[in-house]
Amino acid sequence: MFRPILKKLTNVSRRQYCYKSVKRPTFQKETSPRRPKGTPVDKAPKDNVDLTKHLQAKILATGPITVAEYMREVLTNPHSGYYMNRDVFGKEGDFITSPEISQIFGELVAVWILSEWQKMGSPKFQLVELGPGRGTLMRDVLKVLSKFKLNKDFSIHMVEISPHLSKQQAQLLCYSFDDADANVDMYYRKGETASGTKIFWYSRLEDVPKKFSVVLAHEFFDALPIHKFQFDNGLWKEVLIDIAENSTSDFRYVLSKNQTPMSKIFNPVAGDTRKIIEYSLESDRLIGLLVERFERDGGLGLIMDYGHFGEKGDSFRAFKKHALHDPLKFPGTADLTADVDFRQMKSVAERNHQTVCFGPVEQGVFLYKMQGEVRLESILRSALPENHSSIRSAYQMLTHREQMGARFKFFSMFPFVLKDHLTKFPVNGFH
């Protein structure tokens, strides 16, 4: 998601963390400063009002909630979660992704898959995508793999919790598709592409068959819930979310007076000197699952996302209509995201010498090393002259350092047994 970076969190107030009911402000009609007469009222949709009330009721009952719990509710609440019932991508949505900008992105990812898969002996495989969005990346990857007549050699497995987005993906990718029997099948939908490739949809990675897997995750990990910790008086304390008082936002940040359960078990990577850290337990869990898969069944993974290598501390933010938005205002109407900590990811993945990782490298560097400019010139030769400017502009957006070229990173994972092999035959795009 092409988003600017938010300034550091400021004015965090302290509050005792507890699971008991505490006194909160009553919900009167006016809890924010009075607007001048004639000023338009910024109203939230009905579903958002319901979600706001749901979150406020939870806080009234148990006390301030973690940022992770807030993100989980706002993004994936079955009734009114941001991703669950709407199309949020593209110019008409809240953000635009790299595959939506240019076909070159997905095509080069497909070339990377082919090159690394062939180094591993070209085994029969399944292609797994975590959080496939509209399905645009998989469409472009499938197009390239089809040119190499591989349609019968692999199956596609999509991990998607949004009913709305999974239907969009099926309509884009499939010649035909049907819902599965939830009492019999681990997947909830199945389909087939026009070229004969089978596609299956799952709610969880755990349900995907345990076979040699090529796993893609594009702008997936940045939307996973995070805990936000602040080092205070020699202890890691947790930034929590409480009901706002006399504010234009619905909620506010507070700092726990004492340690929370999560801040007690949190251990930063050795040598980390940051005073504010965002930590995703769910990210660690999923990386652990991939590590187990790759070691047991073989495979490889490519993760593409906003991120850093342990130098950032506060990146939690929201986007609405391609602009920064207050993440605590009108929850459910804007995307919530936090930069991926690739140093933490690498630490988890390589902890027990089960996988070997490469990267992160900047998106612009990866696309350049994968011969993106060669592919660009090929497309221009077959395009109408009046389209040349927009095609070049789209590729520049993907690769220029001031746009998406440096903000996005590529990170890859392989079974540890391939370490020496990959030293001899370096991973494309990373060397």
Side-chain angles (χ1 to χ4, degrees), residues 96-111 136-144 147 367 372 374-380 382-383 387 390-396 398:
I96 190 165
T97 63
S98 295
E100 304 281 346
I101 292 171
S102 173
Q103 69 186 72
I104 295 176
F105 184 89
E107 290 173 349
L108 296 184
V109 168
V111 172
T136 308
L137 174 60
M138 185 58 73
R139 179 198 63 189
D140 292 338
V141 168
L142 187 60
K143 178 179 65 176
V144 173
K147 288 185 178 295
L367 296 179
V374 174
R375 178 55 182 152
L376 172 63
E377 294 306 318
S378 174
I379 292 175
L380 290 172
S382 59
N387 294 330
S390 60
I391 293 171
R392 287 188 182 278
S393 177
Y395 183 72
Q396 183 180 30
L398 294 181

Side-chain angles (χ1 to χ4, degrees), residues 23 39 76 105 136 164 187 215 220 230 261-262 276 318 404:
K23 186 176 180 180
T39 302
T76 62
F105 184 89
T136 308
H164 178 80
Y187 50 87
V215 179
F220 172 77
Q230 184 168 314
M262 278 301 303
I276 297 177
M404 301 173 80

Side-chain angles (χ1 to χ4, degrees), residues 350 353-358 414-427:
E350 296 186 337
H353 300 292
Q354 293 170 286
T355 58
V356 58
C357 301
F358 299 89
F414 296 83
F416 188 80
V417 295
L418 294 176
K419 183 176 181 180
D420 292 340
H421 179 71
L422 294 174
T423 300
K424 185 177 181 180
F425 303 100
V427 180

